[in-house]
Amino acid sequence: MIAFILSSKQIADELTIDFGDISPSYLPLANDYLLNFQIKELKRLCTDIYISKRKIDKPFINEPDVKDFIIKDNLSLIDLIFNILNTFKGDDIIFLYGDTLIKYPAFIPTNKSILFSTDEVKIPYPNWHVLPDDSIMCGSFFIKKELSPIILEKKIKNVNSLIEILVKNSEILKLGKGKWFDFGNFHTYYNSGSSFIAYYSCIFR
């Protein structure tokens, strides 16, 4: 099983004022970078970890545990996911959004694809994916290699359509309170950062 951190887009406009033109995984968190906490979680589950990057991105931290996957600067998220599925057809893949940190369960079943979600959030942001059971997709999913060709042949145009396929062909694994941190916009970045520092920084180290 391999992992892909999807971090090739610029952070939200309101965050560039504080942090400049960087990718989400390079956001600062608890005197470190979000990327390093993402890597620590994924290393428990995966043999190899990749991070998608724009050609213009230059590494400014030491990244010995992650491999670069360079893409075109204007590639959409769904096209990026299709690119990865085409390139790594023989692998089971965990996808993690670059602006997301998850404390994954100690055991994750690998006999089926998985959508990670939570029902701890009562009021979702407009860009969050609400699943049919009213839980919130947590910016991470696991795609078995057997499901990849089914997804690829659909020629879908957006991530919403991908989520619909995953809902029909995957298990929804719900995360408990404090297991999902979203850093995708101004409010969630500072709210999640405060919660993380207050309660969980020692767990992720």
Side-chain angles (χ1 to χ4, degrees):
M1 179 164 56
I2 65 175
F4 260 91
I5 302 171
L6 305 174
S7 189
S8 47
K9 290 290 186 182
Q10 182 192 51
I11 57 175
D13 289 342
E14 63 264 31
L15 291 173
T16 61
I17 298 172
D18 290 335
F19 305 114
D21 180 15
I22 61 173
S23 297
S25 289
Y26 294 108
L27 285 165
L29 178 63
N31 295 317
D32 205 333
Y33 292 96
L34 174 57
L35 175 63
N36 288 329
F37 292 105
Q38 292 170 327
I39 291 171
K40 287 174 184 177
E41 271 302 295
L42 292 170
K43 280 177 68 175
R44 297 193 297 105
L45 307 171
C46 303
T47 54
D48 293 294
I49 302 172
Y50 296 82
I51 182 170
S52 64
K53 287 185 176 181
R54 303 169 294 177
K55 292 180 180 179
I56 63 172
D57 289 332
K58 296 180 179 179
F60 56 94
I61 62 175
N62 189 25
E63 303 169 3
D65 297 314
V66 65
K67 303 175 182 179
D68 292 348
F69 188 77
I70 306 299
I71 67 166
K72 296 178 180 178
D73 294 345
N74 60 350
L75 198 66
S76 69
L77 179 57
I78 190 61
D79 287 338
L80 169 58
I81 293 170
F82 268 50
N83 192 336
I84 293 168
L85 292 177
N86 268 310
T87 304
F88 297 88
K89 289 180 179 178
D91 292 291
D92 299 330
I93 307 173
I94 288 183
F95 290 89
L96 175 66
Y97 288 2
D99 59 10
T100 300
L101 179 62
I102 287 178
K103 182 67 177 174
Y104 289 100
F107 172 76
I108 294 176
T110 57
N111 61 331
K112 61 182 71 176
S113 297
I114 296 172
L115 264 174
F116 296 96
S117 77
T118 183
D119 52 14
E120 296 293 332
V121 177
K122 304 306 178 187
I123 304 177
Y125 278 82
N127 62 330
W128 288 355
H129 298 283
V130 180
L131 303 181
D133 64 356
D134 291 328
S135 65
I136 307 298
M137 199 275 284
C138 291
S140 184
F141 42 88
F142 169 56
I143 296 181
K144 290 282 293 178
K145 58 180 177 287
E146 292 83 4
L147 183 58
S148 293
I150 297 173
I151 295 172
L152 291 170
E153 71 180 10
K154 297 291 185 181
K155 295 182 170 60
I156 57 179
K157 301 299 183 182
N158 54 62
V159 174
N160 286 333
S161 297
L162 172 63
I163 299 303
E164 291 176 4
I165 294 174
L166 291 175
V167 166
K168 295 176 182 178
N169 295 277
S170 307
E171 174 185 346
I172 296 178
L173 198 161
K174 292 187 179 179
L175 302 173
K177 186 175 182 179
K179 303 298 184 181
W180 169 50
F181 300 89
D182 180 280
F183 301 93
N185 62 58
F186 182 87
H187 294 290
T188 61
Y189 173 80
Y190 287 102
N191 289 340
S192 292
S194 298
S195 299
F196 179 83
I197 292 170
Y199 301 108
Y200 292 101
S201 59
C202 60
I203 295 176
F204 279 86
R205 291 192 179 278

